[in-house]
Amino acid sequence: MPDNMSRPLIRDRGGSRRLEASMSDPSAPVVGILGTGDFSRSLARRLVASGYQVVVGSRNPKRFEALFPEEAEVTSQIEAASQADLVFVAVHPEHHSTLVELKLTLAGKTLVDVSNGLRINQDGPSNAELLADLFPESPVVKGFNTISAWALQMGPWDGSRQIFLCSDCSKSKNMMTQLCRKMGFIPVDMGSLSSSLEVENLPLHLFPSWRIPVLCTASLFVFFYLYNFVRDVLHPFVTKKESVFYKMPIDTVNVTLPCVALVMLSLVYLPGLCAAFLQLWWGTKYKRFPVYLDQWLTRRKQFGLCSFLCAALHAVYSLCLPMRKSAKIKLTNAAFDQVKQGVEARWVDEDVWRMELYLSAGIMALGLLSLLAVTSLPSVANAINWREFSFVQSTLGYCALSMATLHTLLFGWDRAFDPKQYRFYTPPTFLLVVILPVTILLCRVSLLVPCLAGRLRRIRRGWEKNRHIRFNLQDDGRHNGLEDMSHV
């Protein structure tokens, strides 16, 4: 596949390559770019499209001239530095020292460091701080390092819109803020240049908020898979010398996935209940939660999406069960045995109703989980207000948890009372799975009791049991509850 970045960004070239002020905003600063890599070419194209005069500095201008837009001038580094008012330093940090000869030319001009490190740097200094030490007479702004060349080339409509900026010079930062907005991006002020280390580490993190949820999902999957393997595969082999190892790729996985999905969905709502009971115990909302609970609360979205993934995979696996050759052989043999023995298929109302309700509850649970997953998308969440978002994620979320729990209970039905189900003296898998969600649902119901619900509502409006402050909540809910202030 050819490299799109190696092609000229604008074809049908012709005429002078000098800057044409008539095609750019005369009041806009001349923007210089030092470097001719992929990022430089995409940045030049976006700046030209935004109405800026662009001059590119290269050690070999003739070689890279055809790769840049016609409106951008490609010249030597010294000439580009002398013409520009604002300079993007788009070279690797280890090559910053090669620009020392431009120190006098760049004095007083804003330098924008777009570089990133090869690994996360916790100790410092950052690349931007090293660049500021190298050019003490030039204000340095850290920015554009979290935007890829692809996002620049396609524009802010097909990529991240946020640009993180930090600098010790407010004038240079304001200039970059205006430039970002004119290019269609959203500038985010990160403070002084001392924050540049954090900004440089941002694109190097690999799903930092997903590590614990993914690790928890993987751990639960391994646990339940081994548990089901021992009960459904190993037990028949040990007791009856029956080899059913063919169940490992499909059957065992399909039984494991809903277990993980239900436990992960329970872990979405467990920290909220813990926080509510802690506030009831403390009698205030102003006491900080433990660190682990704070982190747990901020990762509920990731836990929920992992649960949705397992539930969706369970649905796909279940639809594929009849397609297996083993299932077809079993079905054929069972039909042949019935014909051979002259036994008609029995219609058992209990089994029929159980299966109908079991499938219906599972479909409802998956549908509600899909709605929760869709509303967790930023584009959807931004289109609804907070009350609507809370209704979907809380009320419908508990409905999804209830349906998933009912789906599991209907699967188990009366198997919990069958001694044959306790293989190797271990309880059926569904008994282990429903403990946590049933406990969460019972705790949620307890919080709906008027005495607890009213106390929790007062606490979250600022009431504290250890202070002489009284808040009266009106029944119609249209007052702020601050009418009685006589004891303040």
Side-chain angles (χ1 to χ4, degrees):
M1 182 177 179
D3 185 5
N4 292 330
M5 297 303 297
S6 63
R7 301 174 182 173
L9 295 177
I10 296 182
R11 301 181 181 179
D12 301 330
R13 311 189 62 85
S16 173
R17 295 190 52 86
R18 301 301 299 174
L19 297 174
E20 299 181 13
S22 60
M23 299 188 62
S24 303
D25 185 2
S27 62
V30 178
V31 179
I33 303 175
L34 299 180
T36 53
D38 295 343
F39 187 87
S40 302
R41 300 201 295 270
S42 299
L43 179 61
R45 178 179 182 179
R46 184 52 46 194
L47 287 169
V48 168
S50 302
Y52 284 94
Q53 304 177 30
V54 179
V55 55
V56 180
S58 173
R59 290 174 294 181
N60 192 350
K62 298 293 184 182
R63 179 181 178 184
F64 300 100
E65 184 177 18
L67 299 178
F68 284 84
E70 180 182 352
E71 294 81 4
E73 179 186 2
V74 181
T75 181
S76 63
Q77 291 183 341
I78 186 69
E79 187 174 351
S82 62
Q83 292 186 42
D85 303 312
L86 182 149
V87 179
F88 282 86
V89 183
V91 298
H92 293 290
E94 56 268 23
H95 299 152
H96 283 174
S97 58
T98 61
L99 305 177
V100 175
E101 59 184 15
L102 305 177
K103 183 178 296 187
L104 295 178
T105 307
L106 294 174
K109 299 183 178 182
T110 299
L111 303 182
V112 183
D113 178 36
V114 301
S115 65
N116 284 312
L118 298 177
R119 60 183 62 88
I120 296 178
N121 184 3
Q122 300 289 356
D123 302 325
S126 65
N127 296 334
E129 291 172 323
L130 293 176
L131 184 66
D133 293 338
L134 200 61
F135 296 90
E137 299 182 2
S138 301
V140 175
V141 179
K142 184 68 184 184
F144 280 84
N145 64 303
T146 58
I147 296 294
S148 65
W150 173 259
L152 282 172
Q153 192 175 43
M154 301 307 296
W157 303 276
D158 193 26
S160 175
R161 292 177 57 87
Q162 290 186 332
I163 301 288
F164 299 95
L165 302 174
C166 60
S167 176
D168 292 333
C169 179
S170 58
K171 181 179 179 181
S172 299
K173 191 190 299 183
N174 292 335
M175 184 189 304
M176 285 299 302
T177 299
Q178 296 175 5
L179 183 141
C180 291
R181 289 173 177 165
K182 194 170 182 180
M183 293 174 68
F185 295 101
I186 300 175
V188 179
D189 191 346
M190 298 294 290
S192 63
L193 198 62
S194 59
S195 303
S196 58
L197 185 62
E198 178 183 356
V199 176
E200 288 181 5
N201 288 333
L202 283 177
L204 300 178
H205 289 288
L206 183 62
F207 302 113
S209 59
W210 284 87
R211 292 178 182 175
I212 295 179
V214 170
L215 181 62
C216 185
T217 303
S219 301
L220 287 172
F221 183 87
V222 171
F223 170 76
F224 283 114
Y225 185 87
L226 294 177
Y227 191 84
N228 291 320
F229 171 79
V230 171
R231 287 177 45 82
D232 300 335
V233 179
L234 192 60
H235 181 268
F237 181 77
V238 172
T239 58
K240 303 177 183 179
K241 301 301 180 180
E242 180 182 354
S243 178
V244 289
F245 290 94
Y246 67 89
K247 291 185 177 181
M248 293 175 60
I250 301 293
D251 276 324
T252 308
V253 173
N254 190 42
V255 176
T256 301
L257 286 172
C259 301
V260 179
L262 183 54
V263 174
M264 290 296 293
L265 184 60
S266 303
L267 294 178
V268 174
Y269 297 98
L270 180 58
L273 292 175
C274 293
F277 282 110
L278 281 177
Q279 289 178 340
L280 288 172
W281 176 263
W282 292 334
T284 179
K285 71 172 183 178
Y286 298 108
K287 189 173 181 180
R288 293 295 304 271
F289 295 128
V291 176
Y292 74 90
L293 186 56
D294 270 334
Q295 295 178 351
W296 195 353
L297 288 168
T298 59
R299 288 170 171 81
R300 288 179 293 179
K301 172 183 174 180
Q302 288 76 14
F303 276 90
L305 291 177
C306 289
S307 173
F308 172 71
L309 174 63
C310 294
L313 289 176
H314 170 57
V316 174
Y317 270 87
S318 298
L319 292 174
C320 294
L321 288 179
M323 303 179 186
R324 300 173 303 157
K325 191 173 184 64
S326 58
K328 294 179 180 179
I329 293 175
K330 283 186 175 182
L331 184 61
T332 304
N333 292 338
F336 179 77
D337 291 340
Q338 286 183 353
V339 173
K340 184 178 179 180
Q341 299 174 7
V343 179
E344 295 183 359
R346 297 177 57 192
W347 179 281
V348 182
D349 285 338
E350 181 181 352
D351 293 341
V352 172
W353 274 100
R354 182 183 72 85
M355 182 57 64
E356 297 295 320
L357 293 174
Y358 162 72
L359 291 176
S360 179
I363 294 172
M364 290 294 296
L366 182 60
L368 291 172
L369 271 178
S370 302
L371 182 60
L372 296 177
V374 170
T375 52
S376 67
L377 297 174
S379 57
V380 178
N382 292 335
I384 58 179
N385 59 37
W386 171 249
R387 185 176 182 183
E388 295 167 342
F389 181 81
S390 177
F391 171 78
V392 172
Q393 295 294 329
S394 180
T395 305
L396 295 186
Y398 275 105
C399 290
L401 181 61
S402 302
M403 283 296 171
T405 305
L406 179 61
H407 176 69
T408 306
L409 291 174
L410 289 171
F411 171 80
W413 201 249
D414 57 354
R415 298 178 186 177
F417 308 102
D418 185 3
K420 296 180 180 180
Q421 296 296 324
Y422 291 81
R423 303 161 189 167
F424 285 141
Y425 303 101
T426 59
T429 310
F430 77 93
L431 280 182
L432 297 180
V433 174
V434 297
I435 293 176
L436 183 59
V438 168
T439 304
I440 290 175
L441 291 175
L442 292 176
C443 291
R444 177 57 182 170
V445 171
S446 68
L447 289 178
L448 298 178
V449 176
C451 59
L452 293 180
R455 183 182 178 90
L456 183 61
R457 186 168 61 252
R458 291 196 303 271
I459 289 174
R460 290 179 174 176
R461 283 175 173 258
W463 178 85
E464 296 182 82
K465 70 176 182 180
N466 293 329
R467 295 181 182 275
H468 299 291
I469 301 178
R470 300 292 182 266
F471 295 91
N472 294 330
L473 299 181
Q474 303 298 323
D475 294 336
D476 57 6
R478 292 179 295 176
H479 301 277
N480 59 8
L482 300 177
E483 288 76 18
D484 185 10
M485 302 294 291
S486 58
H487 299 285
V488 176

